Amino acid sequence: MNCEECEASLIDHAYDELAAEPRRAVTRHLAECAGCAVAYCRLRADLDGALQAAHEAPPPAVRQRLRAEVERAFRPSWWRRGLALVRRPVPAYAVVAALAIPAALWLARTSAGEEAAGAVTSPRVRGYDAAAPPRIQRPVL
């Protein structure tokens, strides 16, 4: 086996994907050729480093900063959020509640107003007794 054939098979050899005979040939060549052995060692170090880097998790502080940066970058502007709030579909019971609250307030106000207005505007009703004989008011001359 020459160096070009060996270099073409190094990745397959590193992942154990070679058949038995080509694997033995690559192993023999690596034992005899220092240049290919160094290339194989570099390849293994790169693969191990890539696997280790893929499995390492960043520290929590880095994750929090990254999350805050992403939220800041992709968060809609205040006017878009307000527009989305206005355009949100409203269930039917919300419309009924929105109409019932002002109606209840109006009824409470008018009934309280009638009680207060009735006591002030009709002095003749005050002191009424159905058993007493009616008083006749004479016109003042």
Side-chain angles (χ1 to χ4, degrees):
M1 176 174 273
N2 60 18
C3 290
E4 291 176 15
E5 293 172 350
C6 182
E7 285 181 18
S9 303
L10 285 180
I11 292 180
D12 293 331
H13 182 70
Y15 284 114
D16 291 330
E17 294 180 352
L18 288 177
E21 185 57 37
R23 182 167 183 73
R24 277 189 227 116
V26 169
T27 305
R28 268 189 249 119
H29 183 77
L30 290 175
E32 295 171 358
C33 179
C36 290
V38 169
Y40 179 71
C41 287
R42 286 183 183 153
L43 175 69
R44 278 307 277 181
D46 289 344
L47 292 175
D48 291 342
L51 289 174
Q52 184 180 8
H55 291 295
E56 285 182 14
V62 172
R63 294 181 87 175
Q64 289 173 352
R65 275 196 326 250
L66 182 62
R67 182 179 303 271
E69 188 68 30
V70 168
E71 285 178 358
R72 194 175 317 117
F74 290 101
R75 186 175 201 189
S77 61
W78 64 270
W79 62 272
R80 285 195 186 270
R81 284 182 277 155
L83 183 64
L85 185 65
V86 171
R87 293 178 55 197
R88 180 178 293 163
V90 178
Y93 63 83
V95 173
V96 172
L99 294 175
I101 291 171
L105 292 173
W106 178 77
L107 284 173
R109 183 172 181 225
T110 56
S111 65
E114 286 176 1
E115 290 173 2
V120 172
T121 58
S122 60
R124 293 186 321 176
V125 176
R126 205 179 294 163
Y128 175 75
D129 186 10
R135 276 196 269 160
I136 301 173
Q137 293 182 353
R138 295 192 181 158
V140 177
L141 295 172

